Amino acid sequence: MPSELEIKLRVDSAAASRMAAFAARYASGSKTTRLHSTYFDDGKGRLARHGLELRVRRQDAHEEAQFVQTVKSGGGASRGEWETTLDDERPSIAAARDTPAKSALRGKAKLKPLFVVDVERAIWTLQRDGAVIELALDCGEIVAEGERAPINEAELELKSGPLAAFQAIARDALDVSGASPSFVSKGARGRRLRARRDGRVETGLDLNFESEATAAEAFAAIVAACLKQESINHELLDADPAHVEAVHEMRVAVRRLRAALSLFKPAMPSAEAGRLAAELKWMSDALGEARDRDVFIDKPMRLLQRRHPDVAGVNALREDFARRRDDAHARLIAAVRSPRFRLLLLDLAMAAAAPSALFERQAADAPFGALAAQEFARRLKKVRRRKAADVIGGSDERHRHRLRIAMKKLRYMIEFARPLARAKDFERMSQALRRAQKSLGVIHDGVAAEQALAQAVNNNPEADFIFAAGILRDELAPPPGCRRLALDAHAALRRTRPFWKDFRPSDPPGAQAA
């Protein structure tokens, strides 16, 4: 499959200047061109549903304009790419049918323009340690149905040479520019703008891979989808460090990445996989602390002020937790903007682009469906066993919390197999896990609130403060019958048939999903 290996960086004017100075170290000069790209799909969005982009780009170079149609697949740092030279700006369905777009453009399909990307591009050709790398700086805008959005990014693309040299120069570029990697393509940005989703959080997982995918292929697609969600919400958080929902959805993306590494762990015994998992836990903890503080301020404290506006100590209690939230957000923003996190994102993208360094050789080529079914079954057995009911009804909150986390991780994991499953079978299991997990969450939230309030009281022994904390503790206590509801949800989970039982070894993975 023709492919490109590319890392994008979000750059402001200062970072762009630093990138240009960085390029001058390895290139004698640059060239500038104007790129006008129109993106297309059919009337039903079939290309998008297949994880494909089709554009026709006019490049104004020399005396004549050049027109190139490109079909791209996948995401992350490594994407499939098929190019065809055209006579004009009209897309060619015939040429597209010689690419993976063939499965989406059947019959009398017609392509229509969706949006336009206009950029001025400065290009340098860098050479280092046997690698030839193109560095491009793009400055321009996306226009979709009257909506406009600026685009400012740098792209590093490996043209030839060793992967290690490309990764080394990408690391140096991150360090010099201070810019964050971005895994949102121009096509994805244009679609979000056209759907009026620009500036809104990303909650979903845009996951596409073939039903016969190997473990390594599925891993690459899963990590790319998680990184895309992370990038969109990361960008919103950079623009507004107090963005509550961006914190939440970025946390979800990081949790999904952690779940992906856990899912593939049996096939990835390498020390590098362990290091990536540890680094993701570091970021997950920072996001979790900020999110927990946001939730506490957003709902319980507002509830207390509304129900008990005249109780002395309420304002002091709110101010105390507001300070804790602000401190947690300050620590989070420092972590998100740190070189450590930028390098983690780069390393995750490169691991997905070249997973051989993580996977055992035979495991990398094994069917993903078989690996997933085995791991899902193992984890489901643990959360469905009868002893789990004793944990739910017992008094040990630590064990109950661990059970809830195990359910949540399994729910994230099975999302990755959605392309292989019948929709109704997938939803049945997903909803069963969600109900069981959320019912345990109600209990945990009450216990966690009590612990947080006890800590606050220890730091402020004033009578009014203690009285207000006591009222809030009672308000947040788990409701009567919550354990019964949790036991009922667990019983329903035990009755739910695992959809991955249809991934029979005699069939290609996903054959039952047709």
Side-chain angles (χ1 to χ4, degrees), residues 286 289-290 293 323-333:
E289 182 190 20
R293 297 287 186 254
R323 283 193 297 271
R324 293 168 186 264
R325 177 199 58 193
D326 293 344
D327 290 346
H329 268 261
R331 287 190 290 272
L332 171 61
I333 295 305

Side-chain angles (χ1 to χ4, degrees), residues 94-106:
R97 285 176 175 156
D98 289 331
T99 76
K102 178 181 179 179
S103 58
L105 301 177
R106 296 175 178 175

Side-chain angles (χ1 to χ4, degrees), residues 53-243:
E53 296 174 1
L54 188 154
R55 73 168 187 237
V56 175
R57 172 173 286 175
R58 186 188 74 224
Q59 178 172 331
D60 296 327
H62 307 295
E63 296 181 358
E64 295 183 359
Q66 299 175 347
F67 302 94
V68 177
Q69 176 172 293
T70 304
V71 172
K72 291 196 176 189
S73 66
S78 181
R79 306 183 70 195
E81 183 179 61
W82 295 263
E83 293 188 341
T84 305
T85 301
L86 303 178
D87 294 329
D88 53 36
E89 290 182 298
R90 291 174 297 179
S92 168
I93 288 182
R97 285 176 175 156
D98 289 331
T99 76
K102 178 181 179 179
S103 58
L105 301 177
R106 296 175 178 175
K108 297 181 180 180
K110 293 184 178 180
L111 294 173
K112 67 175 186 177
L114 302 179
F115 53 89
V116 169
V117 179
D118 260 316
V119 298
E120 183 174 277
R121 168 170 288 186
I123 304 170
W124 293 262
T125 299
L126 317 183
Q127 298 189 37
R128 174 174 162 177
D129 298 332
V132 178
I133 299 159
E134 182 178 276
L135 167 60
L137 282 174
D138 289 346
C139 178
E141 67 175 359
I142 305 174
V143 182
E145 296 186 344
E147 298 290 320
R148 295 175 180 270
I151 187 161
N152 296 283
E153 60 186 29
E155 297 179 357
L156 286 163
E157 182 179 353
L158 178 63
K159 293 297 187 180
S160 64
L163 184 65
F166 175 74
Q167 188 164 0
I169 206 164
R171 282 173 165 266
D172 289 349
L174 289 177
D175 181 54
V176 168
S177 67
S180 292
S182 174
F183 302 98
V184 188
S185 68
K186 292 180 176 71
R189 290 184 184 278
R191 289 185 183 278
R192 283 177 58 80
L193 181 65
R194 189 171 185 269
R196 306 295 194 271
R197 292 195 54 80
D198 188 48
R200 296 172 63 183
V201 295
E202 181 58 58
T203 62
L205 197 64
D206 187 10
L207 187 57
N208 286 281
F209 55 82
E210 296 295 327
S211 59
E212 296 83 7
T214 65
E217 290 167 345
F219 176 75
I222 290 164
V223 171
C226 294
L227 287 174
K228 177 183 174 183
Q229 184 193 12
E230 187 282 333
S231 289
I232 292 170
N233 295 303
H234 185 163
E235 191 169 341
L236 295 175
L237 188 60
D238 264 346
D240 177 8
H243 199 310

Side-chain angles (χ1 to χ4, degrees), residues 373-393:
Q374 183 176 358
E375 189 64 12
F376 295 165
R378 184 182 73 83
R379 289 175 178 270
L380 184 65
K381 182 178 180 180
K382 286 187 176 182
V383 300
R384 290 208 307 190
R385 61 187 178 181
R386 293 187 183 279
K387 287 184 179 180
D390 296 334
V391 170
I392 294 172

Side-chain angles (χ1 to χ4, degrees), residues 212-219 264 267-268 355-356 358-371 509:
E212 296 83 7
T214 65
E217 290 167 345
F219 176 75
F264 288 93
M268 297 191 310
S356 58
L358 301 182
F359 277 86
E360 289 183 333
R361 185 171 182 177
Q362 290 183 336
D365 296 330
F368 170 62
L371 180 151

